[in-house]
Amino acid sequence: MNFAAIFQYAPNLVSGALVTLRITLVAAALGLVIGLGLALARLARVRLLSWIAYAYIELFRTTPPLVQIVWFYFVVPVLTGHELSSFQAAALALGLNEAAFLAEIMRAGIQGVSTTQRDAARVLGLTTFDTYRFVILPQAFRIILPPAATTLMLLVKTTALASAIGTLELMRVGQLVTTATFRPIEVLTTVALAYFLLTYPIAIGARALERSFRVGQG
Amino acid sequence: MSGRAEIARQPSTSMRAASPEADPGRDGLLTLRAVCKRFGALPVLTDISLSVARGEVVVVIGPSGSGKSTLLRCVALLEPIQRGSIAIEGTLISRGQDEPGAAVPASAVRQLRHEIGMVFQSFNLFPHLTVLENVMLAPRRVRGLSRQNAETVARTLLDQVGILDKAAEHPARLSGGQQQRAAIARALAMEPRIMLFDEVTSALDPELVGEVLRVMRALAGQGMTMLTVTHEMGFARQVADRVIFMDHGRIVEEAHPDELFTDPRQQRTRDFLARLLEREYGADDRLEPTIAGHRGRQA
């Protein structure tokens, strides 16, 4: 192993890692916001709303993210007439995909909060919005956190698929550096380590949050 | 707007006139008229008419499945009713879904909902909030109190129920009796005109029942209007102005506790009270499974 040979490409790898991080952040933000909306829609009493959310969730859960990324990159411009950069296509596809998975996790979390909590909030006169904001969601969050952290960790690694449409993220940069140096083992090892460094903090953060809840509630 | 208010207020006069059981010296605070409630095809409440006067303490007793808890849940607007009406001080708050005419406007319900406080068998405190935050939440969000005012109110009430020292704790750190007292404080913080207690001591260890009953007795002493479902016959005897015996979703008998406990008129009431006595004194072991099953189902 000769890591010195790839050392000169360190800045490229770092910039690739930053792109990976940016795709992850945009996709995670999209996923959280849309996912919450989908989860609430799924639980709505209005049938149509619930059905649309259901259809969305299953559509995204049953198709490969690689197909989704490529589809957004090549097909969306044809349909809408708007060009998407490879970064935009990847972030959008992964964000919408993440939303489907987070929606199911959030729905389970919300349903996991006892209905007696809803009763208590209602007799106190809280509005539905306040009931969700102050009573249901904070409790659901504790249920949601571990599986949500897992999907976010998966998301970081799934961004590697953006290399297929040429986004200069960590994986794609790794491929280019490999081509330039003929050092696939060193490059892949470095890339793997970089993914670890990007992913592991999510696990640590989630664990710390979980522990802080436990301390609070004795 | 004025039209809506009229719809809500209209039945008040007729309803007041039609509640002969109300003490003429006191106003009818809560009035139920011919309330019917079904779960699917199963009737749970049949033709319940009941009036609670201001300051009156009414205790509802009856075997499990008699509809006592459902009655409270209907009054607390947690369950819709199919027939009849429920009014607070003459203002309609709930009306049978099967009846012709408009439903009670949501705005009227929202305004009156917090006039009714409810305490549950299972406490239902918010586990992620401290005791103080539990009590402060609704006054801040619903009554619009400032944080400071809400905290003053909450601390006063926690002091009143004897758990001010637990204000900063989360509910899980409290005993059942303390949690239930916190739940009472939380309900009182909304300054309700009537308090509903749904078997609030049934989930407690026997040695913790007393501290909760003491708080309830004090409340009754302060003139709080109370509609209470309980198996605590001692409490009913001492505190109730009136005891209602329910069975199979109907009011079988209602009377002053002295009268109802010593000289019940209906056979069903006598049977029920006899069973309760047997439980207290363990006269008949065969009844134990029934009571255990009853407690389990309610919990």
Side-chain angles (χ1 to χ4, degrees):
Chain A
M1 296 252 250
N2 181 7
F3 284 94
I6 63 164
F7 188 75
Q8 60 169 309
Y9 294 101
N12 304 70
L13 288 166
V14 167
S15 92
L18 288 177
V19 172
T20 290
L21 186 64
R22 274 172 54 214
I23 299 176
T24 303
L25 289 177
V26 173
L30 277 177
L32 285 168
V33 172
I34 299 173
L36 179 59
L38 286 169
L40 294 175
R42 194 79 183 76
L43 294 167
R45 254 175 259 153
V46 185
R47 277 281 165 74
L48 183 68
L49 212 58
S50 170
W51 190 87
I52 290 172
Y54 172 78
Y56 174 101
I57 289 165
E58 295 309 0
L59 185 69
F60 274 91
R61 288 205 306 177
T62 51
T63 49
L66 179 60
V67 173
Q68 292 163 9
I69 289 170
V70 173
W71 195 89
F72 269 80
Y73 189 52
F74 290 109
V75 183
V76 168
V78 177
L79 293 179
T80 64
H82 275 283
E83 286 289 326
L84 287 179
S85 72
S86 66
F87 175 88
Q88 288 170 333
L92 192 61
L94 289 174
L96 296 180
N97 178 67
E98 184 68 9
F101 285 89
L102 282 173
E104 281 297 278
I105 291 169
M106 291 180 185
R107 179 182 63 81
I110 290 168
Q111 285 182 323
V113 177
S114 166
T115 54
T116 58
Q117 291 286 306
R118 237 170 271 248
D119 287 349
R122 269 174 84 188
V123 296
L124 288 168
L126 293 178
T127 61
T128 306
F129 183 80
D130 277 357
T131 301
Y132 267 92
R133 184 171 157 205
F134 295 106
V135 178
I136 308 286
L137 290 181
Q139 293 183 63
F141 184 68
R142 278 143 225 241
I143 307 173
I144 290 166
L145 183 64
T150 300
T151 67
L152 289 176
M153 290 169 76
L154 276 173
L155 172 64
V156 179
K157 296 180 290 180
T158 311
T159 57
L161 296 174
S163 61
I165 55 170
T167 315
L168 286 174
E169 46 67 67
L170 188 53
M171 189 68 206
R172 180 73 188 141
V173 172
Q175 286 167 351
L176 295 175
V177 174
T178 302
T179 317
T181 59
F182 299 107
R183 291 276 173 195
I185 295 171
E186 287 84 348
V187 173
L188 274 178
T189 306
T190 308
V191 165
L193 183 70
Y195 276 112
F196 170 81
L197 291 177
L198 286 171
T199 313
Y200 191 51
I202 300 176
I204 295 176
R207 270 184 63 192
L209 264 178
E210 256 188 274
R211 216 171 301 129
S212 74
F213 296 150
R214 235 175 289 142
V215 170
Q217 282 177 44
Chain B
M1 268 329 268
S2 64
R4 270 188 170 182
E6 246 163 60
I7 292 170
R9 232 178 275 132
Q10 239 170 11
S12 66
T13 39
S14 59
M15 228 171 316
R16 274 204 185 137
S19 50
E21 61 273 2
D23 188 332
R26 302 193 257 193
D27 296 340
L29 179 61
L30 172 71
T31 313
L32 279 72
R33 213 165 62 140
V35 168
C36 295
K37 164 81 191 164
R38 290 186 316 265
F39 285 126
L42 182 79
V44 198
L45 297 175
T46 309
D47 209 20
I48 300 280
S49 288
L50 161 71
S51 173
V52 181
R54 189 172 294 117
E56 194 180 20
V57 177
V58 175
V59 166
V60 183
I61 61 171
S64 76
S66 60
K68 308 168 304 241
S69 289
T70 306
L71 174 69
L72 290 201
R73 289 179 61 84
C74 288
V75 173
L77 306 176
L78 291 174
E79 300 279 353
I81 57 177
Q82 272 71 49
R83 298 193 70 82
S85 63
I86 302 174
I88 289 279
E89 296 207 312
T91 307
L92 205 60
I93 54 167
S94 183
R95 171 187 208 143
Q97 293 173 321
D98 295 353
E99 307 222 351
V104 182
S107 55
V109 171
R110 215 175 301 124
Q111 272 183 0
L112 284 165
R113 156 151 263 149
H114 65 265
E115 306 277 1
I116 306 162
M118 182 159 179
V119 184
F120 301 88
Q121 181 178 15
S122 51
F123 327 135
N124 301 356
L125 291 170
F126 305 132
H128 58 297
L129 302 178
T130 65
V131 168
L132 186 69
E133 288 165 345
N134 261 277
V135 181
M136 284 170 62
L137 177 61
R140 290 195 66 198
R141 302 299 308 175
V142 183
R143 288 176 62 202
L145 295 191
S146 69
R147 170 176 279 282
Q148 207 181 357
N149 286 347
E151 185 167 341
T152 311
V153 169
R155 287 192 181 277
T156 310
L157 287 167
L158 288 174
D159 192 24
Q160 218 171 310
V161 300
I163 50 166
L164 185 54
D165 56 324
K166 302 288 179 191
E169 301 279 6
H170 281 84
R173 297 241 179 188
L174 272 59
S175 74
Q178 290 167 336
Q179 287 190 52
Q180 197 56 295
R181 286 187 279 155
I184 293 173
R186 180 176 69 175
L188 290 175
M190 291 306 290
E191 298 188 345
R193 282 195 262 184
I194 180 167
M195 286 282 283
L196 311 175
F197 292 92
D198 187 11
E199 295 199 37
V200 294
T201 57
S202 298
L204 296 177
D205 290 335
E207 75 270 21
L208 302 177
V209 168
E211 62 191 62
V212 173
L213 290 182
R214 251 196 309 283
V215 168
M216 289 168 67
R217 248 182 231 120
L219 259 184
Q222 289 163 21
M224 175 60 80
T225 311
M226 290 163 54
L227 184 58
T228 305
V229 171
T230 186
H231 293 292
E232 299 294 334
M233 294 304 138
F235 173 82
R237 245 193 142 122
Q238 286 170 23
V239 182
D241 297 307
R242 186 154 44 109
V243 177
I244 292 175
F245 174 67
M246 277 181 73
D247 197 15
H248 293 108
R250 289 172 188 276
I251 292 179
V252 176
E253 184 167 358
E254 56 176 299
H256 189 272
D258 290 342
E259 202 180 317
L260 193 118
F261 287 130
T262 52
D263 185 23
R265 257 172 259 158
Q266 303 292 326
Q267 185 59 41
R268 274 193 283 176
T269 317
R270 275 199 286 274
D271 291 346
F272 173 74
L273 291 173
R275 276 206 304 277
L276 272 188
L277 277 179
E278 274 166 1
R279 184 191 67 169
E280 298 274 308
Y281 300 106
D284 191 342
D285 285 336
R286 282 172 306 167
L287 287 167
E288 278 306 303
T290 325
I291 289 155
H294 161 74
R295 290 227 155 159
R297 243 194 324 283
Q298 296 277 318

